Amino acid sequence: MKKVLMGNEAVAYSLFINGVNVAVGYPGTPSTEVIETLKNFKDDDFYVEWSTNEKVALEIAAGASLAGARAVATMKQVGLNVAADPLLSLTIVGVEGGLIVFVADDPGPHSSQTEQDTRNFARFCNLPVFDPSSPKEAFELIKPAFEISEKYKLPVLFRMTTRVCHSNQSVEFEFKREKKKVKGFVKKPDWVILPALSYIKHVELKQKLQNMKKELSVYNKIEGRGKIGIITGGVSYFYVKEAIKGYDDLFSIFKITIPHPLDEEFILEFVKDKEMLIFIEELDPVLEEEVKLILFENGRIISTYGKRNGYVPFAGELDVDKVKDILNRIFSNKLHIKENTLTDILQIPKRQAQLCAGCPHRNSFLVVKYATKGQDVVFTGDIGCYTLGFAKPISTTDTCLCMGASITMAQGLKIADASKKIIAFIGDSTFFHSGITGLVNSYYNMHNITVCILDNLTTGMTGFQPHPGTGKKIYGEEGKKVNIENIVKGIGIEKILVIDPYSDFTENVDKVREFLNTEELGVIVFRRECANLKSRKSYFKINQNCLKCKVCINVTGCPAIDEDENGSIFIDSVLCKSCGLCKNFCPNNAIEKVMENE
Amino acid sequence: MNDIIIAGIGGQGNILLSRVICQLFTNRGFDVKSAENIGMSQRGGSVVSYIRVGDNVGPIVPDGEADILIGLEITEAARNINKINKDSLIILNDRFVKPKNSELEKQQILKYFEKNFRKLTIINACNIAFKLNMPKAENITMLTLICKKGILHFSKEEILTVLSQVLSPPMYEMNKILVEKVYEKY
């Protein structure tokens, strides 16, 4: 069949077709759809789950692999940092069944804290890395990735970037699963990592990388015969192809699909008749540095253009126009490869990222903000939709570092600046991911902070994945439900408050103010289902009492309320989720409820 | 015709619309590629999809090269004019959600489009979807009208086939009724 597949879907289809037995991951844009797609497939020898974090996921995949199963762990680039501990050890221990670590990088970045480059991780932990350019290629490379992993008994990194993960392409394939028999766990001393063994295996590991170079080299390819060599990889390959259209005779392209380990002979062969080399790649100069090393070691001197001499930007993603600009700079505009387009362009300001209309987090943030009015407070934030608590006019997030860090940074702040009240915000999924250990630490070491767990009963930002607090498993079937309050109590924390952020605002403010009166470790759970999960039965509108004071807009920042050209206030009936927050702030009783279909 | 841009705000069904159009072309035997900006709480934020008919290209439409701009929201359409040229076809949904820090009003933007582009069509998909009691289906309403008006040459049957391929059965049933009604009434 011929079907339009997103890059991540293509990976999922190919994993299933190639007999993956165990698929685990933690959601994170742009990696999420691999597991989301795999969950649609069922077979008696196939298991898929959302794990509580990336370290957990990779360790499950490792266990399955040791029993001979084909396994995949999926995550985004920052998730790989969480899973780095098992990954680096796993390179020493090795695997049995093919193990793919799927990592989505995010040049831009579009929805990440960092622009880190997983190809560097491959160099760092001595692993082969596949770097496909398109969904179709990603589909084709899963099979060899499993085979290389099984042959060399090593995990394999499968790295894609946003523009491959989230681009779609028509892919032709037969949806037929190749079953892999799982032979079961066989006891071997190899599976126990010990310093003495680690040294021996490190030597072996370097040898393995050396051995696989030639074999992996077949996935790299050379196009054209021009004297100017462009070395590229990933999605940049297509940008290059389009940018040099019409100048094909001048250039030749070396597309590197396996950035690590690189085969010296192949590179030297390509470079042989070249007059100059241009490196076009996103993020770090991985290809540039690897190739330059090879050239240096072989006494080959050639002029190069890339990131290291400032021709290619280090940060942000590339596109065809940027590659054209780079080439124009290198050739001092002699190629004229960019045409002028429209001259009269409207300048439109960016839409500020903001919490959705009806988001219960907006209510929770405002409750805490009002309850602490006039006090010296620091709000530490975390990773998730609610990171947007920093946006005006909510302005209730002063720090954000990485998953789980709100609770732990709050403790550091409290130690260093004891006079301030410190309030940490964390979401439900993030709490399970890496918030729990921080909370244990604050109880054990007696750090008196307040932790607000914003529980919207889903993993909102990545598209509503279930987690332990929902009690639903990946197919929507029943799992065991983990109650957040019970965890908090189990740690030993007695000061707990549970609040529905949609309930009476003033009452909630009073409750929280009273809760914050005593200076001891406490947890407030704000619980209300994500506004995007429930269909509404009513919405709000502005009536004739409105005096256009704009308090509703200025306090809540709700995207559903705005003023029109004449300065009249209106509520967008399509966007409104009927949370009623705005009504609390209207001094003139001008906001009223309308029932749906009336 | 090679390149299409779909611009809108998060929650309007931009991504699904893009997927449906890709599958329409695929079913006709074309190779397509597309890309989209999603993630980081884009509901209410800018969302843009690029669709490219043809295989040997990258996923992002280069500046000035889009043949069609489908604007699910007027401001977002205007944000992407660097991707089109004077001869591009522009189809706008009559929906305006002003960015909080913008001074530009709906009429100003519409005037700009009228002044600079010859091939402009405005479609009231938002209102029609709302009237048909499916406010979330302005994307499919838009597509149906674009095809019905002959701007994209796909038949009602082709649209329904693709919707059955792309949507879950209950979603398909709802959208099928919508497509039928739009063909009948508008």
Side-chain angles (χ1 to χ4, degrees), chain A residues 359 362-363 366 501 505 540 556 578-585:
Chain A
C359 176
R362 175 179 284 103
N363 306 37
L366 283 179
F505 186 81
F540 281 79
T556 69
S578 197
C579 75
L581 178 70
C582 52
K583 202 174 182 316
N584 291 295
F585 302 101

Side-chain angles (χ1 to χ4, degrees), chain A residues 212-255:
Chain A
M212 67 173 74
K213 281 179 181 174
K214 276 249 134 20
E215 205 172 334
L216 287 170
S217 207
V218 301
Y219 301 106
N220 302 325
K221 71 176 178 197
I222 291 171
E223 286 173 11
R225 254 169 288 168
K227 295 272 185 238
I228 302 164
I230 302 185
I231 296 183
T232 184
V235 71
S236 307
Y237 160 71
F238 284 104
Y239 302 150
V240 168
K241 267 177 91 84
E242 264 190 90
I244 62 168
K245 213 180 267 171
Y247 295 89
D248 306 22
D249 302 346
L250 285 179
F251 298 98
S252 50
I253 303 176
F254 189 2
K255 175 196 183 298

Side-chain angles (χ1 to χ4, degrees), chain B residues 101-160:
Chain B
N101 47 355
S102 168
E103 297 294 314
L104 283 166
E105 293 299 343
K106 178 177 167 182
Q107 290 311 323
Q108 279 173 277
I109 302 180
L110 286 178
K111 266 194 197 123
Y112 169 83
F113 273 112
E114 280 160 12
K115 191 183 128 209
N116 288 287
F117 302 95
R118 296 180 297 118
K119 303 173 194 166
L120 175 70
T121 309
I122 296 173
I123 287 177
N124 205 341
C126 179
N127 241 341
I128 292 171
F130 204 81
K131 269 190 220 155
L132 294 175
N133 237 335
M134 286 183 68
K136 279 189 173 168
E138 59 184 314
N139 54 351
I140 302 303
T141 309
M142 188 90 177
L143 173 77
T144 311
L145 287 166
I146 289 171
C147 293
K148 194 185 167 190
K149 286 172 189 284
I151 298 169
L152 281 179
H153 301 276
F154 294 103
S155 67
K156 186 171 86 179
E157 287 66 34
E158 282 176 288
I159 297 176
L160 292 177

Side-chain angles (χ1 to χ4, degrees), chain A residues 354-356 464 532 559 577, chain B residues 9-11 39-45 47 136:
Chain A
Q354 54 194 339
L355 295 167
C356 299
F464 319 122
N532 293 311
K577 294 281 185 192
Chain B
I9 56 171
M40 191 70 193
S41 213
Q42 291 284 354
R43 214 167 281 260
V47 181
K136 279 189 173 168

Side-chain angles (χ1 to χ4, degrees), chain A residues 1 35 58 141 159 164 175 228 266 269 292 316 335 358 382 399 417 425 509 517 569:
Chain A
M1 70 173 136
I35 297 287
L58 181 54
L141 287 174
R159 174 256 194 180
V164 184
F175 192 53
I228 302 164
F266 207 71
E269 183 60 32
K292 278 182 175 172
L335 288 185
D382 220 300
T399 68
D417 193 355
F425 290 99
V509 170
N517 253 341
I569 312 300

